[in-house]
Amino acid sequence: MGEPVPERGVRTEELATRLEPILSRYRGQAGGLIPLLQEVQGELGWLPEEALRLVAEATGLTLAQVVGVASFYAQFYFQPRGRHVIRVCTGTACHIRGAPKILERLEEELGIGAGETAPDLSVTLETVNCLGCCALAPVVVVDERVLKKRDHKKLWEWIRKRRVE
Amino acid sequence: MKLNSPEELFALRDELSHRGDRPRVRVCCGTGCRAAGGEEVLAAFEREIGRHGLDVEVTSSGCQGWCERGPLVAVEAEKVFYLSVDPQDVPAIVDHTLRRGLPLPRLLYRDETGRPVPWRDEIPFYRKQLRVVLRNCGRINPTDIRDYIRVGGYSALAKVLSGMSPEEVIEEVKRAGLRGRGGAGFPTARKWAACRAQQERPKYLICNGDEGDPGAFMDRSVLEGDPHSVIEGMTIAAYAIGDVPEGYIYVRAEYPLAVKHLELALRQAEEYGLLGEDILGTGFSFRIEIKRGAGAFVCGESTALMYSIEGKRGMPRQTPPRSVERGLWGKPTVLNNVKTFASVPVIISRGADWFAGIGTEGSQGTQVFALTGKVRNTGLVEVPMGITIRELVYDIGGGPREGRIKAVQIGGPSGGCIPESLFDVPVDFDSLQEIGAMMGSGGLVVMDEADCMVAIARYFLSFTQAESCGKCTPCRVGTYRMLRIMDRIVEGNGRIEDLEELERLGRWIKETSLCGLGRSAPNPVLTTLRYFREEYLAHIEARHCPAGVCRSPGHFRINPEECIWCGLCAEACEDGAVRRTRQGFSIDPRLCSGCGRCRAVCPTGAVLFTEEVAV
Ligand SMILES: Cc1cc2nc3c(=O)[nH]c(=O)nc-3n(C[C@H](O)[C@H](O)[C@H](O)COP(=O)(O)O)c2cc1C
Ligand code: FES
């Protein structure tokens, strides 16, 4: 997500222009709602209310129907996301090899809970269920990179530095 | 390059497989090895081989299984298998093994006596395995269709299209005894035949790659490491069912690499005339589209998955009508798991009798497990059905890392916990059902004495409770109530009546829920209540977690009137929180972690527990 992340209160016209190439391919197709939402979120990084309205308009669904579907799935975000995303695996193997403790410590040091984003949009903390590399449990992923155990120390240092800044 | 007939495919296969064996190095880039640095090792090999100008083929492969010891490197011509390879080891490997044909002992597996074991198949972790579904995983390059064709890929499809009737295909799958690998074990041939019999057209075919179990990664490994086997299996299924113009592969949101490899595989299959219009010039057509999930466990359930593809909320519906009658877009639909489809090509190629000869009477073939937890060797394993849990845990898993193994959790959130005393039960669909567990996804988590069974049961329940879609009341409200009780017990505030209440609720939820999520959600709690009741009792009666996992909100203190100064509490305390003074023993609340060991060992009941007063 190198693209600029829109802040809250984006202007609808600007958004409409930016999303038009995506929306035009799904116009009138209610069945394509999920891939459409995925593409819009891929473009913006999250789903602002204005974007949801545009999606509703394009597909011919009501806003309630669109939000009803979007809110059902864990992958759709209704808040802007941080520039960095830290994900802690809370899958079974990671759970029994100490994920809860890591999560607790991250929450404490970052000052945000799981599923939250720091107010300065620097970082988002999330949990996921099994990333499929249980052998490395407990797994922490920073921006799609899986941390090996010996990298955990670097993570703590990075967090500490961030706090000083 | 388009293949215009089955004969052209066979000719290409023979050409590729006879084209002298260039020495080949396979670097595992499966999920585990990739995370451990597989790609850097691959790059180091390419650099080093280029530098020496060697005629060696270096390729990445899908998961080779032993994720614990990754990155794995197999030098095939020399039959040498290296573990935990670092990019810095690569020059030595190239020099020793590729240039001089010598193994590099320090990177080899060593058995108990310290003797190095060069080749994969002799290592205990691999010896008892039988790779059928994973036959190509880790042995071919998943991004190159020619590598798949070389090892016999698409030959089953060619065989089917050049001389088998759809009925014969279904009959073959039936004789093989193939049961669905998605968890429930429904006979695959029966599903296909039922859909074939439907009048309504068109029909649809779906591959379920949602893999929602929070401790499983075998479907992912197949999709990433051998995507063509799934495509081939689906195409054969489409032919057998008839009137299926299009199929979908529904892939879980967290699996971007699987999507990438699948997209590539689909494109290549179309280029080679193995998918799309007029496949292999036989007039048969079939297309496949990928659908990415959006993150909901319940979407693994068949009816929910179909709603999700239709762009709706993924909520299961009442059955009947079954999906084979009214599925996707209201049309007859067959849904099978990734591993089910991946099994089909080998059944056709090697014959139903071969497949049926593996495994047990009621459960033919093999099962793939994601073996994790407190064993030495974790990773992806495939074994014949009917192997015992003990063999899986001790022979393949290598036994405990330390301490004693207490139980395994099999089948993920819908499965159950099986105690050590039942480790001789064979692993097959029906035996597991009998002892209250389930094959489920094939997650297999080994637990030792440091794991609290109550906390594990609570963990799985919290997962299913959060993932309940909320459509039916027993599941929505029932799992919530069970979870609140479990919370109470874990926190040390349980009551003895709670156990019966859990059992009563569990039974009701199982009987009255709408879909498989609710119907299996109580299993982890019910099995632990059945096999590890004493741990629940310890939490409730002694407010003590025997494994030392659960912390109670409150504090322990020693009643001087009752204390006989035996000092057992001080010995039992791992936090050094029990102080000895002239006045007797006391507990320092700042050091106490609330494990309750002191209370459990006190012979006179002098250790008291005071609940924290809510503020
Ligand atoms: C809550 C729930 C989750 C499920 N998740 C999966 C899954 O992730 N993958 C899968 O193949 N089957 C899953 N199933 C089973 C499917 O409903 C279905 O039975 C299966 O995909 C059929 O394929 P098979 O006949 O090849 O086993 C799930 C079922 C339930 C009730
Ligand atoms: S449980 Fe964490 S990666 Fe599988």
Side-chain angles (χ1 to χ4, degrees), chain B residues 4-20:
Chain B
N4 292 312
S5 68
E7 290 70 34
E8 283 187 29
L9 174 89
F10 295 134
L12 177 65
R13 176 192 66 195
D14 294 344
E15 184 200 323
L16 289 171
S17 67
H18 289 146
R19 188 188 286 172

Side-chain angles (χ1 to χ4, degrees), chain B residues 180-182 191 208 210-212 300-302 335-337 340 516-517:
Chain B
R181 288 335 193 218
K191 201 185 269 183
N208 188 344
D210 196 43
E211 193 156 61
E301 197 275 342
S302 46
L335 173 91
N336 279 124
N337 173 258
T340 313
L517 191 149

Side-chain angles (χ1 to χ4, degrees), chain A residues 30-31 33-34 38 68-69 72-76 90-93 95-97 129-136 146 148, chain B residues 31 35 67-68 214 217 220 252-254 292-295 299 308 310 312-314 372-373 378 401 445-446 456 459-460 463:
Chain A
L33 179 58
I34 291 170
Q38 283 169 334
V69 169
F72 184 82
Y73 297 96
Q75 293 281 317
F76 294 122
T90 49
T92 317
H95 179 84
I96 71 171
R97 285 204 198 164
N129 296 310
C130 193
L131 291 145
C133 38
C134 315
L136 304 172
V146 179
K148 278 170 263 178
Chain B
T31 322
C67 313
E68 180 81 33
F217 51 92
R220 166 184 200 157
R252 189 177 159 204
E254 285 84 353
R292 276 161 53 216
C299 284
S308 177
E310 292 173 11
K312 301 181 182 139
R313 298 166 71 105
T372 57
T378 60
R401 296 172 164 232
V445 188
V446 181
I456 289 289
Y459 163 77
F460 279 113
F463 175 82

